[in-house]
């Protein structure tokens, strides 16, 4: 089934630790759907042919006497209970409850806005600096970071460029400055609405670097194009172009990227470091 | 016995009539016009999706620079397509038109319980629908924040959103008046002998629908007024503190919650799904029973399933909101209720399919549409399952999979059922027959192109392509492999539009045709066909108020000479 669904659109790559479980439950449900639809369909077409007026001019008042259909209904109910308890509840519980808060996880803030993703890293101290809406400057400081705060001095932010290490738990604290957006990493099976006024945790662990991923795209229409951040919730006239980029590094690559960011920060203390023009 | 003897003027008879049949026709004609209009908006949008940023032919001049559909107008058309199809098209047709015209006939009533309320309900709907379209002409164009109008986006949107809210408040009020009327009519005006379990399934469908409307719409009306306050009076019911829009701090924002709107909205909008589908079940059951020439299998199971469906539809709404940051307990609750609600749907579909067994199936135009409904609704229902479980919804939420899912329920589902109803009851409304050849062409082409429009959506959805993208996903690499489907869907949509010409021509030709003089051309059992005056009916419906002696589907009763026994026949 998974192979079939991949043929019909499901991305072949499922590049996070959660991804395969989500694909698995999608496949299981599609099994149920397929069996029911084929079963109904065969019965439907057979009865239409067999009981057409010219073949069966006199209808039978009673029709079907057996109660086979009750077994079908019970079977569907049982299958659904198994789906719920065996798969849906555990996956959701892990998504909500297993949020990695410790130092072994990479903590990132993502602040969505019309029509960009602001990515905020806490820097080497591991603590996010203060932000304030009064400091927001759409060009220089879209997240309103307060540089006078001690913890903010080494903070780094980028626009539409999310860099993460592979095989490491990532915990994103997701929020929005203006309207509702939805943070989506299709190849990682990650999606979460960004709701203004709320900080919602999103966690995942990537299992493939961008470099490895690009090798899988050879020969397809998306050859050479890496992972993306998509917006799934209508957020205004620029919704369609609210695209970000996700780069998954190996550990050395990630460390090197971070170092580079800190150098930019030191060099261009009051310039537009980290802006996407640098990319 | 109530009859009208004095001669009425044209205005009194056809415009400000209080006769349920005329009001039914008013609803029917108005809503069909809106359906065509709403569909046309989509055909324009599909041009931009298939050929992004190329000038739209013929009407490009109305749209924007160089004839290209601008993205804000694309969003407007999306909102208006959804709003018009649901609130101005399908519901008024399924509930306002069919309910008004045929429900009193089927229960043996001479009119609705409150004829003047009935007329005012129609006129509120009419005014509400005009207000809706006025939105196109205000600065900034019509509402452009999705038919769901999620704040804060809807709060900060252009003036069209205010117009949309005023229109919705009118439409909701109209629905409330209509539903109270149906409820009282069914409870009070059933003729002698018409006990609850002798009601045709069509009446049950309308009755449960009326309950859903009257219980689910008031929260949305309240929410609509709150959003109006947010927009006009500077309140902040749906905006939290700390909003910064385009670099400006929103000073009036604070203390509200965007999710409050979503709860209120979906508390209506999920029952609304069943408002769209229950009348369709009713129509399909009537048409099928008549054309299989045997009783519907499991009448009681159908009735109880529909009641249960109606009840459950009030406690599944937050399955639209899994990704708003939902915890495990509430998530488990809504996933469980969502799975439970799938069971009565399975029962209903299975009962209708089993009914076919042993029948003597006639394949006329209404029957083809009713039969077409079954697999299409089946696809629509089944594809709801992966969306109903939060885990699989993570990948599919807000993608084209969702669009495919609910369109299968409403378009080749409900709208096919409505076509079945129009072809089935056309002789009742006019005393004339529709053309079978044109009807069958209408069905087969609609069937093919409906699937051509909606089936590829599942593929794009599985690929993760978001809905409501002006360029159809062109900027995204993950959509690249499936962009070609946009053209497939668009061409199918335009051909689907052309296929409706068969319907329009059929209606015009048939209306111009001769009266057949038949009172009961389908040899049907229900009161709407058997005990009325010859069509088109006069005020008062019945020569003699019928008394009911038997169930609604007494076809092919053993020992009977004819293969149908009307409900009103003694013995």
């Amino acid at each position: 089934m998974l192979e079939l669904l991949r043929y019909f659109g499901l991305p072949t790559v499922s590049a996070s630790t959660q991804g395969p479980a989500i694909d698995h439950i999608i496949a299981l449900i599609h099994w149920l759907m397929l069996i029911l639809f084929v079963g109904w369909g065969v019965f439907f077409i057979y009865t239409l042919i067999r009981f057409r007026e010219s073949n069966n001019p006199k209808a039978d008042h009673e029709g079907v006497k057996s109660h086979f259909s009750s077994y079908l209904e019970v079977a569907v109910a049982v299958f659904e209970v198994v789906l719920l308890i065996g798969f849906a509840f555990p996956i959701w519980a892990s998504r909500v409850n297993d949020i990695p808060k410790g130092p072994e996880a990479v903590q990132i803030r993502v602040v969505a806005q019309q029509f960009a993703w602001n990515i905020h890293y806490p820097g080497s101290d591991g603590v996010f600096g203060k932000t304030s809406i009064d400091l927001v400057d759409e060009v220089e400081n879209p997240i309103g970071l307060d540089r006078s705060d001690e913890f903010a001095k080494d903070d780094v932010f980028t626009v539409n460029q999310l860099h993460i290490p592979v095989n490491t738990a990532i915990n994103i604290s997701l929020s929005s400055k203006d309207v509702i957006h939805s943070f989506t990493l299709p190849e990682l099976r990650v999606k979460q609405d960004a709701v203004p006024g709320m900080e919602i945790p999103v966690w995942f662990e990537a299992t493939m670097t961008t470099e490895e991923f690009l090798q899988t795209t050879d020969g397809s229409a998306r050859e050479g194009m890496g992972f993306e951040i998509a917006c799934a919730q209508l957020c205004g006239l620029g919704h369609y172009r609210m695209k970000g980029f996700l780069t998954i590094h190996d550990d050395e690559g990630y460390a090197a990227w971070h170092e580079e960011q800190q150098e930019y920060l030191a060099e261009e203390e009051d310039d537009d470091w980290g802006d996407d023009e640098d990319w | 016995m109530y009859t009208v003897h004095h001669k009425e003027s044209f205005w009194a008879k056809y415009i400000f009539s209080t006769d349920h049949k005329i009001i039914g026709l008013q609803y029917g004609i108005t809503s069909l016009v809106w359906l065509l209009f709403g569909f046309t908006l989509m055909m324009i949008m599909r041009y931009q999706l298939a050929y992004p940023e190329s000038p739209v032919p013929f009407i490009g001049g109305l749209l924007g620079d160089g004839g290209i559909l601008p993205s804000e107008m694309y969003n407007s058309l999306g909102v208006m397509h959804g709003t018009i199809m649901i609130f101005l098209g399908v519901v008024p047709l399924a509930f306002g038109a069919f309910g008004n015209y045929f429900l009193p006939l089927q229960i043996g009533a001479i009119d609705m319980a409150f004829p003047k309320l009935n007329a005012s309900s129609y006129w509120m709907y009419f005014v509400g629908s005009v207000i809706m379209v006025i939105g196109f002409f205000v600065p900034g164009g019509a509402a452009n924040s999705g038919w769901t109008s999620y704040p804060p986006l809807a709060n900060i949107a252009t003036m069209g959103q205010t117009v949309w809210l005023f229109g919705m408040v009118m439409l909701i009020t109209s629905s409330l008046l209509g539903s109270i009327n149906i409820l009282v009519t069914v409870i009070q005006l059933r003729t002698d002998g018409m006990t609850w379990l002798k009601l045709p399934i069509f009446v049950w469908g309308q009755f449960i629908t009326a309950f859903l409307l009257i219980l689910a719409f008031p929260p949305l009306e309240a929410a609509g007024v709150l959003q109006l306050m947010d927009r006009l009076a500077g309140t902040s019911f749906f905006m939290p503190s700390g909003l910064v829009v385009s670099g400006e701090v929103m000073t009036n924002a604070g203390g509200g919650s965007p999710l409050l709107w979503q709860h209120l909205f979906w508390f209506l909008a999920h029952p609304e799904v069943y408002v769209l589908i229950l009348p369709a079940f009713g129509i399909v059951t009537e048409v099928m029973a008549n054309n299989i020439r045997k009783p519907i299998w499991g009448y009681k199971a159908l009735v109880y399933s529909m009641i249960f469906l109606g009840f459950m539809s009030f406690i599944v709404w937050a399955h639209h909101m899994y990704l708003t940051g939902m915890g495990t307990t509430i998530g488990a609750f809504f996933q469980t209720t969502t799975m439970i609600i799938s069971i009565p749907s399975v029962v209903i579909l299975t009962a209708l399919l089993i009914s076919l067994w042993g029948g003597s199936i006639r394949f006329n135009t209404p029957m083809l549409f009713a039969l077409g409904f079954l697999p299409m609704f089946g696809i629509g229902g089944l594809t709801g399952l992966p969306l109903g479980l939060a885990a699989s919804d993570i990948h599919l939420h807000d993608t084209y999979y969702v669009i495919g899912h609910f369109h299968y329920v409403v378009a080749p589902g409900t709208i096919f059922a409505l076509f079945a109803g129009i072809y089935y009851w056309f002789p009742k409304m006019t005393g004339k027959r529709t053309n079978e050849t044109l009807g069958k062409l209408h069905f087969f082409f609609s069937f093919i192109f409906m699937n051509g429009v909606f089936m590829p959506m599942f593929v794009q959805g599985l690929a993760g392509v978001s809905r409501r993208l002006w360029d159809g996903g062109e900027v995204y690499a993950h959509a690249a492999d499936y962009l070609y489907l946009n053209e497939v869907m668009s061409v199918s949509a335009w051909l689907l539009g052309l296929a409706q010409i068969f319907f329009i021509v059929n209606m015009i030709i048939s209306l111009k045709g001769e009266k057949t003089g038949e009172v009961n051309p389908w040899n049907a059992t229900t009161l709407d066909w058997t005990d009325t005056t010859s069509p088109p009916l006069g005020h008062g419906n019945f020569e003699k108020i019928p008394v009911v002696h038997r169930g609604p589907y007494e076809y092919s009763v053993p020992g009977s000479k004819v293969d149908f026994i009307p409900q009103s026949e003694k013995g």
Side-chain angles (χ1 to χ4, degrees):
Chain A
M1 180 54 74
L2 210 50
E3 291 311 308
L4 188 67
L5 290 174
R6 293 208 158 121
Y7 185 74
F8 284 108
L10 192 67
T12 43
V13 165
S14 193
S16 70
T17 48
Q18 291 87 337
I22 291 171
D23 288 358
H24 186 54
I25 190 170
I26 290 177
L28 279 176
I29 302 168
H30 280 80
W31 267 120
L32 173 67
M33 291 156 64
L34 188 71
I35 292 168
L36 277 174
F37 189 72
V38 171
W40 276 333
V42 169
F43 177 86
F44 183 56
I45 290 167
Y46 176 75
T47 46
L48 288 186
I49 295 170
R50 177 167 160 190
F51 295 103
R52 66 189 188 275
E53 192 182 14
S54 55
N55 197 43
N56 192 38
K58 182 135 181 50
D60 172 12
H61 182 71
E62 270 193 77
V64 171
K65 289 171 197 75
S66 87
H67 283 269
F68 175 75
S69 62
S70 312
Y71 301 116
L72 170 75
E73 283 136 20
V74 171
V76 172
V78 169
F79 196 100
E80 288 179 350
V81 169
V82 171
L83 277 177
L84 280 172
I85 296 173
F87 300 92
F89 292 169
I91 293 173
W92 199 256
S94 157
R95 183 179 191 269
V96 177
N97 296 334
D98 298 349
I99 297 159
K101 298 228 168 84
E104 74 283 358
V106 174
Q107 309 287 336
I108 302 171
R109 286 180 72 227
V110 172
V111 184
Q113 71 171 82
Q114 287 176 328
F115 304 100
W117 304 97
N118 299 294
I119 320 285
H120 179 185
Y121 292 87
S124 33
D125 64 1
V127 181
F128 291 106
K130 268 192 210 140
T131 58
S132 162
I133 56 168
D134 298 320
L135 296 173
V136 168
D137 177 315
E138 287 304 328
V139 179
E140 300 287 330
N141 191 359
I143 58 170
L145 187 65
D146 180 1
R147 285 285 177 196
S148 66
D149 179 39
E150 198 190 325
F151 295 116
K153 295 210 186 318
D154 61 349
D155 285 18
V156 169
F157 60 82
T158 70
V159 179
N160 290 332
Q161 293 290 347
L162 174 60
H163 290 255
I164 57 167
V166 72
N167 297 327
T168 308
I170 311 292
N171 181 25
I172 289 176
S173 177
L174 182 64
S175 62
S176 166
K177 272 160 75 177
D178 40 36
V179 302
I180 300 176
H181 304 270
S182 193
F183 176 81
T184 309
L185 309 172
E187 292 87 1
L188 277 70
R189 311 293 187 268
V190 169
K191 187 177 288 169
Q192 172 61 53
D193 287 358
V195 184
M198 294 169 78
E199 293 246 337
I200 303 173
V202 192
W203 77 273
F204 56 92
E205 193 176 320
T207 54
M208 183 186 261
T209 63
T210 296
E211 209 173 310
E212 288 162 347
F213 173 68
L214 285 174
Q215 285 161 13
T216 71
T217 65
D218 285 348
S220 77
R222 66 172 304 176
E223 186 171 341
M225 293 186 274
F227 296 115
E228 292 166 326
I229 310 169
C231 182
Q233 184 67 264
L234 179 66
C235 55
L237 60 92
H239 166 58
Y240 72 97
R241 59 178 153 84
M242 186 165 163
K243 179 173 82 159
F245 299 89
L246 166 68
T247 311
I248 306 176
H249 300 276
D250 54 18
D251 285 343
E252 297 87 69
Y254 183 67
W257 178 80
H258 244 291
E259 204 141 306
E260 201 180 22
Q261 295 304 307
Q262 291 297 334
E263 279 164 24
Y264 282 134
L265 188 56
E267 276 170 27
E268 312 175 37
E269 200 85 67
D270 50 7
D271 202 6
D272 62 339
W273 36 257
D275 202 343
D276 60 347
E277 254 120 58
D278 294 350
W279 303 89
Chain B
M1 176 82 228
Y2 172 72
T3 43
V4 173
H5 295 291
H6 64 270
K7 202 162 160 52
E8 292 168 303
S9 71
F10 172 82
W11 285 87
K13 193 168 175 194
Y14 294 110
I15 307 297
F16 296 108
S17 173
T18 54
D19 180 355
H20 72 100
K21 298 184 292 298
I22 299 294
I23 296 170
L25 287 177
Q26 289 175 326
Y27 262 116
I29 292 163
T30 318
S31 56
L32 279 171
V33 170
W34 286 125
L35 277 180
L36 186 62
F37 182 70
F39 182 41
T40 309
L41 299 183
M42 179 42 70
M43 290 197 277
I44 299 169
M45 293 168 77
R46 287 244 56 114
Y47 193 86
Q48 161 67 19
L49 291 173
Y51 314 110
E53 296 180 69
S54 353
V56 180
F58 310 123
I59 50 152
L62 296 169
L63 302 174
D65 287 343
I68 300 164
L69 178 66
S71 79
E72 57 270 41
M73 193 184 280
Y74 174 87
N75 288 345
S76 283
L77 294 184
V79 174
M80 295 310 279
H81 166 74
T83 308
I84 287 173
M85 292 313 245
I86 294 173
F87 296 107
L88 308 191
V90 174
V91 174
L93 184 55
F95 185 69
F98 281 100
N100 252 310
Y101 204 115
F102 302 107
L103 182 133
L105 295 178
Q106 288 205 330
I107 62 172
I110 55 169
D111 204 323
M112 296 283 273
F114 307 119
K116 283 182 181 158
L117 204 64
N118 204 8
S120 58
S121 160
Y122 170 76
W123 284 106
M124 278 219 164
Y125 156 65
F126 186 83
V127 172
S129 61
V130 171
I131 293 177
M132 271 297 168
V133 215
I134 287 175
F136 278 114
F137 304 101
V138 299
N144 51 22
S145 311
W147 79 279
T148 49
S149 289
Y150 280 4
L153 182 64
N155 276 12
I156 60 173
T158 50
M159 193 176 169
Q161 182 64 25
T162 304
V163 180
W164 186 90
L165 288 164
F166 275 115
M168 279 308 289
V169 169
M170 285 301 268
L171 292 168
I172 293 170
T173 311
S174 154
S175 278
L176 293 176
L177 297 180
S179 49
I180 193 88
N181 214 344
I182 294 270
L183 289 176
V184 176
T185 305
V186 175
I187 293 170
Q188 293 290 346
L189 299 187
R190 281 169 294 126
T191 185
D192 287 345
M194 184 61 97
T195 55
W196 287 99
L197 290 181
K198 288 200 178 84
L199 287 175
I201 296 288
F202 174 80
V203 177
W204 274 111
Q206 295 286 334
F207 185 64
I208 300 163
T209 301
F211 260 114
L212 299 187
L213 283 174
I214 209 161
L215 293 173
F217 252 141
L220 183 65
E221 186 149 32
V225 173
L226 294 183
Q227 198 179 92
L228 270 176
M229 302 286 278
D230 273 12
R231 291 179 56 84
L232 300 178
T235 60
S236 180
F237 291 106
F238 302 125
M239 288 186 292
S241 5
L243 285 194
V244 183
V245 176
S246 313
E248 298 292 320
V249 175
M250 294 270 294
T251 45
N252 66 328
S257 160
L259 295 190
L260 173 62
W261 168 269
Q262 294 191 21
H263 282 291
L264 293 170
F265 181 85
W266 289 113
F267 186 81
L268 156 88
H270 201 81
E272 181 77 11
V273 173
Y274 294 90
V275 166
L276 298 168
I277 204 71
L278 287 169
F281 283 150
I283 294 169
V284 166
T285 309
E286 295 306 305
V287 174
M288 274 183 58
N290 180 258
N291 288 300
I292 57 178
R293 312 309 292 168
K294 64 181 279 294
I296 287 295
W297 191 88
Y299 172 90
K300 278 189 189 168
L302 269 180
V303 171
Y304 296 143
S305 295
M306 283 164 73
I307 295 173
F308 187 58
L309 209 58
F311 173 75
M312 289 302 294
S313 73
F314 284 101
I315 46 173
V316 297
W317 80 88
H319 67 204
H320 297 269
M321 301 167 59
Y322 287 140
L323 297 185
T324 54
M326 200 177 267
T328 47
T329 316
I330 190 170
F333 175 80
F334 281 104
Q335 290 181 75
T336 308
T337 54
T338 303
M339 287 303 112
I340 291 173
I341 206 172
S342 71
I343 302 295
S345 311
V346 169
V347 173
I348 291 171
L349 198 53
T350 309
L352 291 176
L353 284 169
I354 291 180
S355 298
L356 294 168
W357 190 273
S360 173
I361 303 170
R362 307 190 296 204
F363 292 96
N364 48 35
T365 306
M367 184 61 167
L368 285 176
F369 275 102
L371 290 174
F373 167 88
L374 298 177
M376 297 297 99
F377 172 72
I379 294 176
L382 289 172
T383 49
L385 290 171
L387 302 169
L389 292 173
S392 36
D393 190 48
I394 294 171
H395 182 58
L396 299 173
H397 184 74
D398 269 336
T399 65
Y400 265 93
Y401 199 94
V402 180
I403 315 291
H405 154 65
F406 70 73
H407 277 91
Y408 261 99
V409 174
V410 178
T414 300
I415 290 181
F416 271 15
L418 296 174
F419 278 130
I422 291 172
Y423 284 111
Y424 178 67
W425 274 301
F426 189 84
K428 181 89 259 173
M429 295 184 279
T430 60
K432 299 165 186 178
R433 293 290 282 265
T434 54
N435 181 297
E436 276 292 301
T437 312
L438 287 172
K440 283 174 180 166
L441 287 171
H442 178 213
F443 170 74
F444 284 112
F445 283 111
S446 295
F447 190 84
I448 293 166
F449 297 130
M450 282 275 191
N451 285 290
V453 181
F454 301 120
M455 194 59 86
M457 290 186 178
F458 295 125
V459 177
Q460 287 198 339
L462 280 169
V465 182
S466 302
R467 64 194 290 193
R468 293 164 171 166
L469 298 174
W470 172 61
D471 61 356
E474 206 179 30
V475 303
Y476 286 113
H478 67 267
D481 285 322
Y482 302 100
L483 282 179
Y484 72 96
L485 289 172
N486 281 330
E487 194 173 349
V488 175
M489 292 187 271
S490 295
V491 171
S492 299
W494 302 323
L495 292 173
L496 178 62
L498 286 180
Q500 304 317 304
I501 292 174
F502 290 119
F503 174 71
I504 296 167
V505 169
N506 198 353
M507 289 296 119
I508 294 170
I509 290 179
S510 305
L511 278 173
K512 284 192 171 165
E514 292 290 308
K515 280 195 187 170
T516 58
E518 296 163 302
V519 178
N520 187 6
W522 308 111
N523 290 341
T525 51
T526 43
L527 297 182
D528 46 336
W529 293 103
T530 46
D531 287 277
T532 53
T533 54
S534 63
L537 304 181
H539 220 147
N541 301 338
F542 299 96
E543 277 160 347
K544 183 167 175 294
I545 299 289
V547 175
V548 169
H549 297 282
R550 54 184 72 239
Y553 309 117
E554 295 289 294
Y555 289 102
S556 301
V557 179
S560 164
K561 279 197 201 90
V562 282
D563 71 345
F564 69 106
I565 307 178
Q567 274 198 286
S568 56
E569 195 159 304
K570 278 200 187 120

